[in-house]
Amino acid sequence: MSTRQDAIEDQNRRMLRARDAMDRTYAEPLDIPALARIAHVSESHFIRAFAATFHETPHRYLQRRRVERAMYLLRNTDRPVTEICFQVGFSSLGTFSRTFTAIVGETPTAHRRRGPIAPVPGCFVMAWTRPSATDRTAGSDRAIEQFRISSRPEPRRRFKS
């Protein structure tokens, strides 16, 4: 393997390590210097390398991760929106609502009105409800409904004798 490929692979591993730390501690206050230390690079290099590796800035990734968790809590718990806001790591309800609306395409209250997430395997729910870095709409309900329809057992046919 060439030296250039080794350097790219090493950088990818460092960025994955930092992203894993963000996934584990998304609700805690995280800052760029701490994440850069995890990746063993300078702060400015960390921001550039993270964006080049994952096609979004570390700040945007962290916001999307927090909103993803908030989406789940809004639809599956009765906790107030304010409590969920602070639980997922936002320090301001206004920032939470604005960020949530920008990523999901609807307000937290409107998202809650959709009702609880349908009982399907958790891996499907995660894949369908995870906010995309590029798609700003929440079209997951249609996918969940399609899964429910396709997984229904065939009705028994009665034959006349």
Side-chain angles (χ1 to χ4, degrees), residues 30-89:
L30 290 173
D31 57 353
I32 294 298
L35 294 170
R37 278 193 302 274
I38 291 170
H40 299 290
V41 294
S42 72
E43 296 170 20
S44 56
H45 182 72
F46 173 72
I47 294 170
R48 284 192 310 270
F50 192 94
T53 304
F54 299 113
H55 306 290
E56 62 185 334
T57 64
H59 178 70
R60 186 66 179 179
Y61 177 80
L62 184 60
Q63 283 186 326
R64 198 165 53 81
R65 182 73 178 96
R66 288 174 172 168
V67 165
E68 176 186 346
R69 182 66 182 153
M71 289 171 67
Y72 174 80
L73 292 172
L74 284 167
R75 292 186 67 178
N76 292 319
T77 66
D78 292 334
R79 295 183 196 146
V81 174
T82 306
E83 184 180 323
I84 291 173
C85 159
F86 294 123
Q87 183 180 351
V88 297

Side-chain angles (χ1 to χ4, degrees), residues 2-131:
S2 73
T3 307
R4 178 158 170 70
Q5 287 176 331
D6 289 342
I8 291 172
E9 198 166 299
D10 181 54
Q11 178 174 302
N12 288 344
R13 264 191 240 114
R14 292 170 189 249
M15 295 303 116
L16 281 171
R17 197 175 312 133
R19 191 179 75 174
D20 288 346
M22 293 168 78
D23 287 340
R24 278 191 311 270
T25 58
Y26 66 90
E28 297 173 13
L30 290 173
D31 57 353
I32 294 298
L35 294 170
R37 278 193 302 274
I38 291 170
H40 299 290
V41 294
S42 72
E43 296 170 20
S44 56
H45 182 72
F46 173 72
I47 294 170
R48 284 192 310 270
F50 192 94
T53 304
F54 299 113
H55 306 290
E56 62 185 334
T57 64
H59 178 70
R60 186 66 179 179
Y61 177 80
L62 184 60
Q63 283 186 326
R64 198 165 53 81
R65 182 73 178 96
R66 288 174 172 168
V67 165
E68 176 186 346
R69 182 66 182 153
M71 289 171 67
Y72 174 80
L73 292 172
L74 284 167
R75 292 186 67 178
N76 292 319
T77 66
D78 292 334
R79 295 183 196 146
V81 174
T82 306
E83 184 180 323
I84 291 173
C85 159
F86 294 123
Q87 183 180 351
V88 297
F90 284 93
S91 58
S92 160
L93 184 60
T95 303
F96 170 69
S97 293
R98 187 177 57 249
T99 304
F100 190 95
T101 303
I103 291 175
V104 178
E106 61 186 353
T107 64
T109 305
H111 188 71
R112 171 169 271 171
R113 275 191 228 120
R114 290 174 173 241
I117 296 173
V120 293
C123 57
F124 286 99
V125 173
M126 282 181 62
W128 293 335
T129 59
R130 185 170 214 171

Side-chain angles (χ1 to χ4, degrees), residues 100-161:
F100 190 95
T101 303
I103 291 175
V104 178
E106 61 186 353
T107 64
T109 305
H111 188 71
R112 171 169 271 171
R113 275 191 228 120
R114 290 174 173 241
I117 296 173
V120 293
C123 57
F124 286 99
V125 173
M126 282 181 62
W128 293 335
T129 59
R130 185 170 214 171
S132 168
T134 55
D135 185 15
R136 303 273 186 250
T137 59
S140 58
D141 286 338
R142 189 171 359 137
I144 291 171
E145 188 59 34
Q146 287 174 346
F147 174 80
R148 288 173 57 188
I149 291 170
S150 66
S151 62
R152 284 185 195 151
E154 288 283 325
R156 288 185 147 181
R157 295 184 179 177
R158 293 185 178 177
F159 297 100
K160 292 181 181 178
S161 55

